[in-house]
């Protein structure tokens, strides 16, 4: 599958005239593909932001009610990195950032906020 993603497209030789509007149709199809890629990227970013908020909120809630020390954050980091070795972002400092993100939004992080943050993050 990787070779499918990295292989260059081969344009067939022009053996006959193309129908009228062919180039415009291909441009339209390219726009459809680009739009789908952008929407998919925004959805992934939205889900990641939602996950970060949920992690931060969960840690904040438990820390407040159980009076955890900072060593617990280190342990959470180690546990998450062990369980998800191929996923980045579970360092001690990132967990602290997740808490900072959840602090201003104690209730569910709204879809609008996620989409706004996701759009800003994925904009070149």
């Amino acid at each position: 599958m990787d070779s499918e993603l990295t292989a260059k497209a081969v344009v067939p030789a022009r053996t006959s005239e193309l129908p009228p509007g062919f180039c415009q149709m291909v441009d339209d199809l390219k726009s459809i593909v680009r739009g789908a890629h952008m929407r998919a990227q925004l959805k992934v970013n939205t889900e990641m932001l939602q996950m970060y908020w949920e992690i931060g909120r969960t840690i904040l809630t438990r820390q407040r009610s159980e009076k955890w020390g900072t060593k617990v954050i280190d342990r959470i980091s180690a546990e998450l990195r062990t369980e998800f070795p191929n996923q980045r972002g579970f360092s001690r400092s990132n967990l602290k950032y997740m808490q900072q993100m959840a602090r201003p939004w104690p209730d569910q992080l709204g879809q609008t906020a996620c989409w706004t943050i996701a759009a800003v993050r994925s904009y070149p």
Side-chain angles (χ1 to χ4, degrees):
M1 182 161 164
D2 287 338
S3 62
E4 291 176 18
L5 295 175
T6 57
K8 295 282 184 186
V10 178
V11 179
R14 292 187 185 189
T15 56
S16 64
E17 281 296 312
L18 297 173
F22 177 84
C23 292
Q24 181 61 48
M25 179 197 63
V26 170
D27 286 344
D28 292 345
L29 295 175
K30 290 175 184 177
S31 292
I32 290 168
V33 171
R34 285 187 187 103
H37 286 175
M38 179 59 77
R39 286 189 306 278
Q41 191 174 30
L42 285 171
K43 285 182 183 182
V44 168
N45 285 345
T46 298
E47 287 300 318
M48 295 296 289
L49 288 168
Q50 185 69 33
M51 178 187 72
Y52 295 152
W53 177 82
E54 287 182 41
I55 291 170
R57 183 204 55 187
T58 301
I59 293 171
L60 282 174
T61 302
R62 296 290 297 268
Q63 221 172 19
R64 286 177 185 148
S65 67
E66 298 173 21
K67 309 294 186 217
W68 290 348
T70 56
K71 295 289 184 189
V72 175
I73 299 293
D74 293 337
R75 181 63 188 262
I76 293 169
S77 173
E79 292 286 338
L80 290 174
R81 286 188 288 173
T82 299
E83 182 68 23
F84 305 104
N86 296 325
Q87 187 170 346
R88 297 174 53 200
F90 296 129
S91 68
R92 179 183 189 278
S93 58
N94 281 345
L95 292 175
K96 294 272 190 192
Y97 293 139
M98 291 175 204
Q99 288 176 284
Q100 288 176 359
M101 177 187 174
R103 202 168 277 122
W105 290 295
D107 297 323
Q108 184 72 18
L109 185 62
Q111 189 70 17
T112 303
C114 276
W115 275 95
T116 301
I117 297 168
V120 168
R121 285 186 61 201
S122 55
Y123 188 77

